[in-house]
């Protein structure tokens, strides 16, 4: 866009905004257009020398030959009010011959900055909480894995005990047979074998008691073994869920970190 075109369209620029705006067009020498809205009146008048506004965003855009979007706080404004200036240089045959600027209220920028600060604080708190939750989930998953290993060892121990119980049952059966044979031999010996018959009978009773104990132990071990097996499966599922949860929370932490960066950028743009 050149200077002549900017002067021609300046009166219509306000129609492109849904808020109050002021529009200025400056050449290297004078103010070509000065449209001052009553709510954003910088009192820049057509025909004034451009040098009067050499420190404004409009003339900076002309001198620096680039587009500028600047929030001007009241303490840095030569007009006694804060505002946001959007300025573009005007080119003609590769040379800058002026600049056009649109002045808008900084109320939206202040609101944007406030939202950005609140969002940044909220995300910061959420990020810290998610990091703690992620660490707890990872610790829970590790604990579940350790418990799974411990219960697996317990199950192996129970299987060994069950094997020993079965060995006791076999020994008891063999002892019972020996006791029965001893009773038969004692009976054949008559009176001389009576004492031996008593011992043989006690051996048979002891064998039977051992057999019943071994059966009871085996039954209890089977029940405990089933319980431990179920416990191992529950712990395994807990470990899987905990690991998945830790992964999901880790992804959430990364997302919150990105949102935090965007919130900081939002604030920095509002402060620009």
């Amino acid at each position: 866009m050149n200077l002549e075109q900017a002067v021609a369209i300046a009166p219509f620029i306000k129609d492109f905004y849904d808020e109050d705006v002021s529009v200025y067009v400056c050449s290297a020498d004078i103010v070509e257009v000065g449209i001052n809205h009553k709510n954003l009146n910088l009192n820049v008048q057509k025909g004034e020398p451009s040098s009067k506004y050499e420190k404004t965003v409009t003339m900076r855009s002309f001198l620096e030959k680039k587009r500028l979007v600047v929030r001007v706080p009241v303490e840095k404004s030569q007009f006694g009010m804060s505002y946001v200036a959007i300025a573009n240089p005007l080119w003609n045959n590769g040379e800058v011959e002026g600049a056009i600027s649109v002045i808008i209220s900084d109320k939206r920028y202040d609101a944007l900055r406030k939202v950005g600060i609140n969002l940044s604080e909220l995300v910061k708190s959420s990020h810290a909480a998610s990091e703690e939750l992620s660490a707890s989930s990872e610790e829970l998953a590790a604990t579940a894995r350790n418990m799974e290993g411990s219960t697996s060892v317990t199950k192996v121990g129970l299987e060994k005990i069950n094997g020993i119980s079965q060995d006791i049952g076999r020994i008891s059966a063999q002892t019972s047979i020996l006791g029965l044979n001893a009773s038969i031999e004692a009976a054949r010996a008559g009176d001389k074998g009576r004492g031996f018959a008593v011992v043989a009978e006690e051996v048979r009773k002891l064998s039977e008691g051992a057999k019943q104990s071994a059966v009871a132990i085996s039954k209890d071990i089977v029940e405990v073994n089933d319980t431990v097996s179920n416990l191992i499966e529950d712990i395994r599922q807990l470990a899987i869920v905990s690991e998945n949860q830790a992964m999901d929370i880790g992804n959430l932490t990364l997302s919150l970190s990105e949102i935090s960066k965007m919130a900081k950028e939002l604030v920095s743009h509002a402060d620009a």
Side-chain angles (χ1 to χ4, degrees):
M1 183 188 301
N2 59 34
L3 182 62
E4 183 180 355
Q5 292 169 334
V7 171
I9 70 168
F12 306 100
I13 289 180
K14 61 179 177 28
D15 297 330
F16 292 93
Y17 290 84
D18 61 353
E19 59 183 312
D20 300 334
V21 300
S22 293
V23 183
Y24 307 105
V25 179
C26 295
S27 65
D29 300 317
I30 65 171
V31 177
E32 301 286 347
V33 175
I35 302 175
N36 295 284
H37 192 280
K38 63 180 181 179
N39 296 327
L40 285 168
N41 189 357
L42 303 187
N43 199 28
V44 177
Q45 302 299 324
K46 178 181 178 179
E48 292 183 312
S50 299
S51 58
K52 181 179 178 180
Y53 303 108
E54 62 179 351
K55 294 184 179 179
T56 62
V57 178
T58 308
M59 294 309 296
R60 279 180 53 196
S61 176
F62 168 72
L63 295 172
E64 297 176 17
K65 301 180 180 180
K66 63 181 182 180
R67 181 177 187 269
L68 296 175
V69 179
V70 180
R71 180 180 184 276
V72 181
V74 64
E75 61 270 16
K76 293 185 179 181
S77 172
Q78 71 180 82
F79 305 105
M81 62 186 297
S82 61
Y83 58 91
V84 175
I86 306 170
N88 283 276
L90 301 171
W91 297 84
N92 189 11
N93 295 324
E95 297 293 331
V96 178
E97 59 178 351
I100 182 171
S101 62
V102 177
I103 307 302
I104 62 177
S105 172
D106 59 353
K107 291 181 179 179
R108 289 190 177 184
Y109 273 66
D110 288 340
L112 182 66
R113 182 177 183 276
K114 184 177 180 180
V115 170
I117 291 174
N118 292 339
L119 178 62
S120 181
E121 292 299 320
L122 177 62
V123 170
K124 188 184 296 182
S125 301
S126 300
H127 184 261
S130 67
E131 284 184 331
E132 292 180 4
L133 184 57
S134 178
S136 299
S137 296
E138 290 175 357
E139 184 177 350
L140 176 60
T143 301
R145 287 301 183 194
N146 290 334
M147 290 175 63
E148 183 181 3
S150 299
T151 49
S152 295
V153 171
T154 302
K155 184 175 181 181
V156 172
L158 287 172
E159 290 174 351
K160 290 181 179 179
I161 294 173
N162 190 45
I164 294 172
S165 177
Q166 291 176 357
D167 290 339
I168 293 173
R170 286 192 294 270
I171 294 172
S172 174
Q174 293 174 356
T175 304
S176 179
I177 292 172
L178 290 175
L180 179 60
N181 291 335
S183 297
I184 293 172
E185 292 300 325
R188 288 178 179 176
D191 292 340
K192 294 181 178 180
R194 289 179 182 175
F196 187 68
V198 173
V199 174
E201 183 61 25
E202 292 300 322
V203 169
R204 287 180 61 193
K205 290 180 180 179
L206 179 61
S207 174
E208 184 62 27
K211 178 182 178 181
Q212 292 177 359
S213 297
V215 170
I217 291 172
S218 294
K219 182 179 179 181
D220 291 341
I221 289 175
V222 169
E223 293 177 356
V224 174
N225 193 47
D226 290 341
T227 301
V228 171
S229 295
N230 293 333
L231 178 61
I232 290 175
E233 180 60 24
D234 291 342
I235 293 173
R236 189 179 69 83
Q237 293 297 329
L238 173 62
I240 293 173
V241 171
S242 299
E243 289 172 351
N244 291 336
Q245 183 184 44
M247 186 178 300
D248 291 340
I249 294 174
N251 292 334
L252 173 62
T253 302
L254 291 176
S255 298
L256 288 173
S257 179
E258 291 301 317
I259 294 174
S260 180
K261 290 179 182 178
M262 288 188 286
K264 289 179 181 178
E265 290 179 3
L266 185 65
V267 174
S268 67
H269 286 317
D271 287 337

